[in-house]
Amino acid sequence: MSIIELNEHPQNYAGQQVTVPGYLLGGPEPIAVVTEPGIEYKYEKLASECLSIVNFGELDGELGTELDGKFVEVTGIFYRGTDSYGISFTSCGLTGLDIGGDPINNIRVVSKGDK
């Protein structure tokens, strides 16, 4: 599943568990997965090529710093609207993945050669 596909057709995946590849923006804010490194500076692409990570548990600390910028696979429940999680400091728009507060088991570092 790709970030772009989820954002183009959110109604098809809402509430489903999905796994997406991308580069982690590990915080402290925003915490998200994006299609390419440095995309946080390309605001025109954020709505389609970025997913917020919500209910992220310990990812806003040392683990987030360790994983920041790494190519990962993130598994979580896809939400069309993450506004129910409260104020978001990410510029991804409203779509996101709820990883159930468990980044250790729901974020896996991969090499691009594994795909």
Side-chain angles (χ1 to χ4, degrees), residues 1-2 5-6 9-20 51-52 54 74-82 85 95-100 106:
M1 182 59 49
S2 76
E5 171 68 16
L6 288 170
H9 305 285
Q11 68 283 358
N12 295 343
Y13 305 102
Q16 294 182 31
Q17 181 171 306
V18 297
T19 298
V20 297
L51 289 172
S52 298
V54 295
V74 181
T75 300
I77 304 298
F78 176 71
Y79 284 93
R80 295 171 62 171
T82 58
Y85 287 89
T95 59
L97 295 177
D98 182 330
I99 63 169
N106 291 306

Side-chain angles (χ1 to χ4, degrees), residues 25-112:
L25 299 179
E29 292 289 346
I31 295 179
V33 60
V34 297
T35 59
E36 62 185 73
I39 199 169
E40 67 267 30
Y41 302 109
K42 300 174 184 175
Y43 294 108
E44 70 280 0
K45 297 180 87 175
L46 282 176
S48 64
E49 298 187 35
C50 179
L51 289 172
S52 298
I53 297 176
V54 295
N55 194 10
F56 48 75
E58 303 281 324
L59 196 56
D60 59 346
E62 192 174 310
L63 180 60
T65 301
E66 179 184 322
L67 295 177
D68 187 44
K70 299 252 188 327
F71 189 72
V72 298
E73 286 184 339
V74 181
T75 300
I77 304 298
F78 176 71
Y79 284 93
R80 295 171 62 171
T82 58
D83 49 341
S84 65
Y85 287 89
I87 296 171
S88 174
F89 296 100
T90 184
S91 299
C92 284
L94 290 178
T95 59
L97 295 177
D98 182 330
I99 63 169
D102 188 5
I104 299 292
N105 289 309
N106 291 306
I107 299 176
R108 181 175 75 93
V109 176
V110 295
S111 75
K112 290 192 99 173

